[in-house]
Amino acid sequence: MNNKIMWDCHMHSCFSSDSPTPMEDMVKKAADCGLTGICFTEHLDPDYPDTPDKIKFSLDVPAYRETLMALKEKYKKQLDIRFGIELGLQPHLDGYFHTLLQETPFDFVIGSSHVVHGYDPYYPDFFRGRRESLCYMEYFESILENLAVFSEMDVYGHIDYVVRYGPNQNREYSYGRYQDILDEILRTLIRKGIGIELNTGGYHYGLGEPNPCTAMIRRYHDLGGEIITIGADAHTPDKISYSFDQAREILLQCGFRYYTVFHGRKPEFYSCT
């Protein structure tokens, strides 16, 4: 049995405002990589704040679905393509997202924290004039604020996303430093039946770790967490299945024997041993 990670379940195309890549280019590259399947998880961040580059994370869901389904049929002999979304969570958007998920037959839903009290940590304004550690803590607190009102996602995305963009990135960050609040997040996710992802984007952002970090993935397993998806957070073809060999090693080190892929919002488990 093939024990490699054969599914990339977090990727974007030009339907996401921060990707320039036609969807078919992503599909072709994934097929060239020999993957079994992929899941597009295009960004939808309603009420995204004004930013210096004027980007807005809106999404034409019907057009996205139509294009994906056409490619799914075209490439069905080479690759299984699934229909997902990455929701940019904020507490006041719970009703909007509830309606969207009731009306749209996604295979997979990632809920992610991008905007924290009106700021995206991607931009330096979030950190300006403040201690980095307090910014990180505010980010983690915002995850709990989201979970208090909305829990309809399948996994919570890149839980320590904030460290990608901190002035010192993860040089002064560790799971242990924020253990109390990170454990509260992990326990809340497990209680609500929400998984996590191992997002290898941390490697191509230069962290030397996935998001979340290895210690947090191990802690999730030790607390009884079972649902973990794998995604490279690719926005361009060259990042598809990025560092997946390392991802597999981390899964095994942390005690996992399976990773998860969603189909019709239901988990399927694939061996990594």
Side-chain angles (χ1 to χ4, degrees), residues 135-154:
C135 294
Y136 287 6
M137 182 62 75
E138 182 182 3
Y139 179 85
F140 297 135
E141 289 170 347
S142 79
I143 292 178
L144 291 173
E145 291 166 8
N146 286 321
L147 288 170
V149 297
F150 186 78
S151 56
E152 297 178 45
M153 68 290 272
D154 300 312

Side-chain angles (χ1 to χ4, degrees), residues 151-214:
S151 56
E152 297 178 45
M153 68 290 272
D154 300 312
V155 303
Y156 214 104
H158 45 50
I159 292 172
D160 53 11
Y161 160 92
V162 67
V163 307
R164 292 180 180 178
Y165 309 111
N168 294 291
Q169 290 192 311
N170 62 347
R171 288 191 289 277
E172 299 174 8
Y173 161 78
S174 68
Y175 157 73
R177 185 171 183 180
Y178 299 89
Q179 179 173 354
D180 288 348
I181 192 165
L182 293 176
D183 279 0
E184 187 175 355
I185 290 169
L186 295 176
R187 289 192 175 101
T188 302
L189 292 171
I190 292 167
R191 185 174 71 249
K192 290 176 174 284
I194 302 167
I196 67 170
E197 67 164 350
L198 191 166
N199 185 311
T200 62
Y203 290 112
H204 55 82
Y205 278 91
L207 302 179
E209 284 265 20
N211 299 114
C213 62
T214 302

Side-chain angles (χ1 to χ4, degrees), residues 3 247-258 272-273:
N3 59 8
R248 176 178 175 269
E249 290 303 314
I250 288 171
L251 287 180
L252 296 174
Q253 291 169 18
C254 294
F256 288 96
R257 296 294 175 263
Y258 297 88
C272 59
T273 60

Side-chain angles (χ1 to χ4, degrees), residues 237-252:
D238 59 306
K239 298 299 191 293
I240 292 172
S241 67
Y242 194 91
S243 294
F244 271 23
D245 287 344
Q246 288 170 280
R248 176 178 175 269
E249 290 303 314
I250 288 171
L251 287 180
L252 296 174

Side-chain angles (χ1 to χ4, degrees), residues 14-226:
C14 60
F15 282 98
S16 292
S17 301
D18 58 351
S19 172
T21 310
M23 184 177 281
E24 189 163 10
D25 289 0
M26 299 294 282
V27 171
K28 288 178 179 178
K29 179 62 175 179
D32 289 345
C33 289
L35 294 177
T36 299
I38 59 176
C39 186
F40 283 95
T41 52
E42 304 292 4
H43 283 296
L44 176 58
D45 285 63
D47 198 19
Y48 191 78
D50 291 334
T51 62
D53 49 17
K54 308 298 183 186
I55 196 168
K56 289 292 183 185
F57 286 99
S58 58
L59 176 62
D60 185 339
V61 175
Y64 162 40
R65 185 185 181 200
E66 181 180 1
T67 301
L68 185 145
M69 292 305 170
L71 292 171
K72 182 179 179 73
E73 176 64 23
K74 181 176 179 179
Y75 289 89
K76 64 183 179 182
K77 293 183 179 179
Q78 300 174 56
L79 192 69
D80 192 344
I81 303 173
R82 297 193 178 166
F83 177 44
I85 193 165
E86 183 177 9
L87 304 178
L89 302 178
Q90 298 184 65
H92 65 281
L93 298 173
D94 59 320
Y96 176 88
F97 287 145
H98 172 78
T99 299
L100 175 70
L101 298 186
Q102 289 291 309
E103 295 176 346
T104 313
F106 294 108
D107 286 305
F108 178 46
V109 177
I110 301 174
S112 294
S113 290
H114 297 131
V115 176
V116 181
H117 306 141
Y119 292 89
D120 186 337
Y122 176 84
Y123 297 95
D125 281 353
F126 179 70
F127 298 96
R128 188 167 287 121
R130 302 200 298 155
R131 287 173 55 191
E132 188 175 53
S133 60
L134 295 180
C135 294
Y136 287 6
M137 182 62 75
E138 182 182 3
Y139 179 85
F140 297 135
E141 289 170 347
S142 79
I143 292 178
L144 291 173
E145 291 166 8
N146 286 321
L147 288 170
V149 297
F150 186 78
S151 56
E152 297 178 45
M153 68 290 272
D154 300 312
V155 303
Y156 214 104
H158 45 50
I159 292 172
D160 53 11
Y161 160 92
V162 67
V163 307
R164 292 180 180 178
Y165 309 111
N168 294 291
Q169 290 192 311
N170 62 347
R171 288 191 289 277
E172 299 174 8
Y173 161 78
S174 68
Y175 157 73
R177 185 171 183 180
Y178 299 89
Q179 179 173 354
D180 288 348
I181 192 165
L182 293 176
D183 279 0
E184 187 175 355
I185 290 169
L186 295 176
R187 289 192 175 101
T188 302
L189 292 171
I190 292 167
R191 185 174 71 249
K192 290 176 174 284
I194 302 167
I196 67 170
E197 67 164 350
L198 191 166
N199 185 311
T200 62
Y203 290 112
H204 55 82
Y205 278 91
L207 302 179
E209 284 265 20
N211 299 114
C213 62
T214 302
M216 203 189 317
I217 294 170
R218 181 178 294 110
R219 181 60 169 162
Y220 171 72
H221 177 270
D222 292 347
L223 290 170
E226 298 178 340

